[in-house]
Amino acid sequence: NTMPYPVTLHAFGGTYTPNQNSSITISYGHQQGTDALSFNGRYQLTARTMITASYADTLGTQLENLQQQLNQGSVNANGSFVNSQTGGQLFGSTNAAPIQPGVFHFKTLSATISTQLNRDTLSLTLNTSTQTAAGGTSALQTSSQTNGIITQWTHELRADLRWSTSASYNVITGGILGSSKSIAFNSSLLYTLSESLSASARYTFFRSSSQSSLLNLYEDIFVLGITKTF
């Protein structure tokens, strides 16, 4: 395959596996015009408790940063979209920032602790990220920092019925529209009809308050869905 433009990628690193359920990968290299450190790790703290963490340092547009996160995604046994390398939270607090044009330097750190009980899974995630305008700032391209916390609880009501709920809180300082705060709540039911057919019901609440009226948002969403795999 040929690329329409030259791509330079030089990196080195390694993976440490302290036990069969734990893996820590660290690398340093040159990618997308920047020299950066990358980290993905999961560690089995106890028989029921897992700690995961990831760190990314990238250069690109906001859309490219979102695409890079999606490329790392996979669906776990609970139906959640997670980081395929760690099993932890995929989307960090960076995604709470308002859309801006231009190229940015993103630094994102995420850490999750989760506990698996007989019929319940509990998790807590902390995120922090910075978005720095590359090549200076302008009226339409400013730097910002976002800090967030996410809690999630999944409960197996019975073998074919699973309930999941999560809540998050984000604080953004700086940015094109000034500082803002947001809260989100999500609750869903997943009913497995067969190995290839499932039905779901989901409710989502989101509210954002900001120094700018453009980011004062209030949203309620209710979705019913059927999923068929072939």
Side-chain angles (χ1 to χ4, degrees):
N1 296 329
T2 60
M3 300 295 292
Y5 51 86
V7 175
T8 302
L9 174 59
H10 301 290
F12 65 92
T15 299
Y16 171 59
T17 306
N19 56 61
Q20 62 179 358
N21 295 319
S22 304
S23 176
I24 300 171
T25 301
I26 302 176
S27 65
Y28 183 85
H30 183 85
Q31 185 177 13
Q32 296 180 325
T34 185
D35 295 320
L37 178 72
S38 176
F39 172 85
N40 283 285
R42 64 180 187 273
Y43 182 75
Q44 190 77 44
L45 188 63
T46 69
R48 293 180 177 268
T49 302
M50 175 77 75
I51 297 176
T52 65
S54 62
Y55 173 78
D57 187 339
T58 61
L59 185 69
T61 65
Q62 288 183 326
L63 177 59
E64 289 172 334
N65 182 59
L66 179 60
Q67 289 173 331
Q68 289 169 4
Q69 293 180 74
L70 288 171
N71 290 338
Q72 296 183 54
S74 65
V75 179
N76 66 8
N78 294 323
S80 300
F81 203 44
V82 298
N83 185 315
S84 60
Q85 299 184 52
T86 66
Q89 186 72 33
L90 178 64
F91 291 106
S93 49
T94 304
N95 304 290
I99 298 174
Q100 297 182 62
V103 177
F104 295 89
H105 196 174
F106 299 96
K107 294 183 179 180
T108 303
L109 174 65
S110 177
T112 300
I113 182 170
S114 61
T115 297
Q116 180 74 53
L117 305 177
N118 292 337
R119 301 178 65 180
D120 300 271
T121 302
L122 306 172
S123 68
L124 174 67
T125 300
L126 300 177
N127 292 303
T128 182
S129 62
T130 59
Q131 176 180 286
T132 306
T137 60
S138 67
L140 295 177
Q141 188 182 11
T142 59
S143 302
S144 64
Q145 180 171 354
T146 308
N147 297 303
I149 182 172
I150 304 170
T151 61
Q152 187 171 19
W153 175 27
T154 300
H155 177 64
E156 187 179 280
L157 298 170
R158 62 190 197 197
D160 59 352
L161 187 61
R162 181 180 290 112
W163 174 60
S164 179
T165 184
S166 64
S168 65
Y169 177 70
N170 286 287
V171 177
I172 303 174
T173 55
I176 188 172
L177 297 177
S179 300
S180 65
K181 300 177 181 179
S182 66
I183 59 173
F185 173 80
N186 178 79
S187 184
S188 63
L189 277 172
L190 178 64
Y191 179 39
T192 302
L193 300 169
S194 68
E195 291 184 357
S196 61
L197 183 65
S198 63
S200 63
R202 181 184 299 271
Y203 168 73
T204 300
F205 168 81
F206 177 80
R207 183 165 188 175
S208 175
S209 58
S210 171
Q211 295 174 336
S212 170
S213 59
L214 295 176
L215 281 183
N216 289 329
L217 305 174
Y218 178 90
E219 187 175 66
D220 280 291
I221 300 176
F222 184 72
V223 178
L224 292 174
I226 295 178
T227 301
K228 173 68 175 178
T229 59
F230 300 91

